[in-house]
Amino acid sequence: MTQQFETFESNSPVAQPMEITQRFEYLIANTPAIIYSSVPSGDFKMTFVSENASRVLGYAPQEMVDDPNFWFDHIHPDDAPNIFSSLALLFVEGERAYEYRFLTKDKRYLWMHDSLRLIRDENNNPIEVIGSLTNITERKLMEEALHRTGEEQRSLIEKLKEAQAQLLQSEKMASIGQLAAGVAHEINNPVGFVSSNMKSLQTYVDKLLLVVSRQEQLLQGDELGEDLKKQAKQLSVEADLAYLRDDVVDLIAESLDGLKRVKDIVQSLKDFSHVGESDWQMVDIAKGLESTITIANNELKYKAVIERHHGELPLVKGLASQLNQVFMNLLVNAAHSIAERGTITIRTECRDEWVYISVQDTGCGIPAENLSRIFEPFFTTKPVGSGTGLGLSLSYGIVQKHGGRIEVQSEVGVGTCFTVCLPVNQPHVNIG
């Protein structure tokens, strides 16, 4: 090699032009970039390709020069349109650079960076295009790997955000469940003895009314003196005994009915919360719906009439408290979608080992552009401060965990119908 360089550096006037040419060819053949030239029109037929093309691409330079369509024919079909559509700018800008995949002799695609420059003559006419092709496959692979890593990190961050939101919501629901169970327990005690007292009072009033009735019978007879009868009748008039006798019965009946309703609410709180039931169990869907309607009644009663169309349902394997949370979200959303007064229709049925629970409202409906996003975490169309955008996302996750799905149909101005589809049996879940 040293001797070769010495030859190149010879000062002999005769040898110098040949040595310079050899030196030039040597450098071109060993540079990382493939140097080429082509005609500045038509198919950009190559007129020269450096020897290193055989090392980088596997093609002999002459092979590339002989084929007038070689360059165009070997660009990846997905990359070619972008190059063809903008190649005319070379004649305006004078230089262009592209990155594309080029087919090698062994049928692989390598990423190439192609720098083109237009050469013009003294009359500004284009005479030649000079270019250099550099293999950037390794760089591209690294970029793609970094991009994938970035996408995976973004996906992981989103999943972590969603998991955190679900955890917070789960903790919130667990706290609400414990609070509901505690309130139910505290209410149940006084309700218990008040109910017992009311039943005793009802017995006592019945006896008192019997005595009053007997007294009236005696007053109508001849056993008592007229003066005593007169006094007794006067007392009855002053006390308005006839009214009291009718009203006290109604009051006791209404009070007992009210106590029964309180007990039903308490029981619904217990059924809804299912505190302590963390295992998969056989769930009564109809019972869960009714307890949820009772708990959500304050949100529902001012907005909608509830219509029920229940079919005969089997027990479903699941987590009762979480399914009740799904029903709660769907019912409250239905109520919020109704501007003034409407109807919420609940239908249940069982077909082909699947249970279907639909909640249909006559509310404002969901625009078509939002239908694909309603199950995304934090997506909400409610005003700021009116919702977290987690309700449907959490419901979707709960139903998925139960091996089911949620379907939605909506028409703006008509209403929305959410249908929860749950499998009756889930072989992968063990009850215990």
Side-chain angles (χ1 to χ4, degrees):
M1 183 66 71
T2 304
Q3 291 178 349
Q4 189 177 21
F5 285 156
E6 287 175 354
T7 303
F8 292 155
E9 292 170 1
S10 171
N11 294 319
S12 170
V14 177
Q16 191 174 13
M18 183 179 295
E19 290 171 358
I20 292 174
T21 301
Q22 289 175 346
R23 176 67 172 168
F24 174 75
E25 290 177 351
Y26 170 81
L27 290 174
I28 292 296
N30 287 279
T31 188
I34 300 171
I35 307 301
Y36 70 90
S37 63
S38 68
V39 297
S41 61
D43 50 18
F44 283 76
K45 178 184 181 303
M46 291 179 168
T47 55
F48 168 80
V49 178
S50 58
E51 289 293 333
N52 56 352
S54 59
R55 185 180 72 252
V56 177
L57 299 175
Y59 301 107
Q62 194 60 43
E63 180 182 359
M64 299 174 72
V65 171
D66 290 344
D67 184 353
N69 298 311
F70 190 89
W71 185 53
F72 281 174
D73 288 347
H74 288 73
I75 296 174
H76 194 287
D78 292 344
D79 301 332
N82 177 54
I83 297 173
F84 298 163
S85 64
S86 62
L87 200 55
L89 292 174
L90 177 65
F91 297 90
V92 178
E93 300 171 357
E95 294 182 355
R96 293 291 293 173
Y98 297 103
E99 291 184 355
Y100 54 82
R101 287 159 290 183
F102 199 86
L103 185 65
T104 66
K105 186 79 170 181
D106 57 0
K107 305 303 179 185
R108 293 179 299 123
Y109 276 104
L110 295 181
W111 274 100
M112 307 300 290
H113 178 87
D114 192 357
S115 295
L116 299 86
R117 185 182 178 192
L118 180 67
I119 307 298
R120 296 178 181 272
D121 62 15
E122 64 274 8
N123 297 319
N124 205 34
N125 296 315
I127 58 173
E128 193 171 29
V129 173
I130 304 296
S132 67
L133 279 170
T134 306
N135 184 359
I136 59 168
T137 304
E138 187 173 344
R139 191 199 84 192
K140 278 289 186 179
L141 291 175
M142 290 178 63
E143 287 177 356
E144 289 175 4
L146 286 171
H147 180 73
R148 284 195 300 270
T149 301
E151 288 295 324
E152 289 171 0
Q153 288 177 343
R154 279 190 287 273
S155 176
L156 182 59
I157 289 170
E158 288 300 317
K159 288 179 180 178
L160 285 172
K161 285 182 179 179
E162 184 177 350
Q164 184 184 29
Q166 290 181 349
L167 179 61
L168 290 173
Q169 188 72 0
S170 297
E171 290 178 351
K172 176 182 173 184
M173 288 305 297
S175 299
I176 291 173
Q178 290 176 350
L179 176 63
V183 170
H185 179 72
E186 292 301 319
I187 292 176
N188 219 24
N189 287 335
V191 166
F193 67 72
V194 170
S195 180
S196 177
N197 290 348
M198 287 299 296
K199 289 178 181 177
S200 298
L201 179 59
Q202 185 180 33
T203 302
Y204 298 159
V205 168
D206 287 342
K207 290 181 179 179
L208 286 173
L209 291 176
L210 184 61
V211 171
V212 169
S213 178
R214 180 59 181 153
Q215 177 183 314
E216 288 181 343
Q217 291 177 4
L218 290 172
L219 288 173
Q220 293 173 2
D222 298 330
E223 292 85 352
L224 301 177
E226 289 298 325
D227 185 56
L228 190 57
K229 287 182 180 181
K230 185 176 181 181
Q231 291 181 35
K233 288 178 180 179
Q234 183 63 31
L235 287 172
S236 295
V237 172
E238 289 176 359
D240 199 359
L241 189 61
Y243 171 77
L244 291 178
R245 183 166 52 190
D246 292 335
D247 196 45
V248 73
V249 174
D250 293 338
L251 288 176
I252 291 174
E254 288 177 3
S255 298
L256 289 172
D257 181 64
L259 285 170
K260 181 180 179 301
R261 290 168 62 186
V262 172
K263 289 180 71 176
D264 290 343
I265 293 172
V266 169
Q267 187 60 47
S268 294
L269 280 171
K270 289 182 177 179
D271 293 340
F272 179 80
S273 61
H274 285 271
V275 173
E277 295 183 11
S278 58
D279 294 330
W280 291 70
Q281 301 178 1
M282 300 309 293
V283 179
D284 187 335
I285 295 294
K287 185 178 179 182
L289 278 168
E290 289 306 314
S291 66
T292 305
I293 291 170
T294 302
I295 300 303
N297 190 51
N298 193 54
E299 292 276 357
L300 306 176
K301 64 183 179 181
Y302 300 111
K303 285 293 192 76
V305 174
I306 306 296
E307 292 186 358
R308 299 168 175 84
H309 302 280
H310 291 316
E312 187 174 344
L313 300 181
L315 297 179
V316 173
K317 193 181 296 184
L319 298 167
S321 60
Q322 293 192 13
L323 290 176
N324 288 346
Q325 183 182 342
V326 173
F327 303 151
M328 173 72 79
N329 288 334
L330 296 182
L331 286 168
V332 170
N333 280 352
H336 288 175
S337 72
I338 297 172
E340 294 181 0
R341 191 74 178 168
T343 302
I344 297 176
T345 304
I346 302 171
R347 291 185 174 87
T348 60
E349 62 175 327
C350 180
R351 299 193 315 269
D352 303 323
E353 295 298 309
W354 284 79
V355 166
Y356 299 89
I357 307 104
S358 66
V359 178
Q360 184 172 1
D361 62 64
T362 56
C364 59
I366 303 170
E369 62 270 19
N370 291 338
L371 273 177
S372 61
R373 300 191 59 198
I374 56 175
F375 295 113
E376 292 180 12
F378 308 108
F379 178 78
T380 179
T381 56
K382 295 179 182 178
V384 175
S386 300
T388 62
L390 288 173
L392 285 176
S393 172
L394 290 171
S395 297
Y396 186 84
I398 290 170
V399 173
Q400 271 199 324
K401 183 164 69 174
H402 283 74
R405 63 186 187 277
I406 301 181
E407 299 172 351
V408 58
Q409 293 178 322
S410 187
E411 184 176 347
V412 175
V414 177
T416 303
C417 180
F418 284 92
T419 302
V420 177
C421 313
L422 298 172
V424 175
N425 296 306
Q426 298 184 47
H428 64 285
V429 176
N430 295 319
I431 296 180

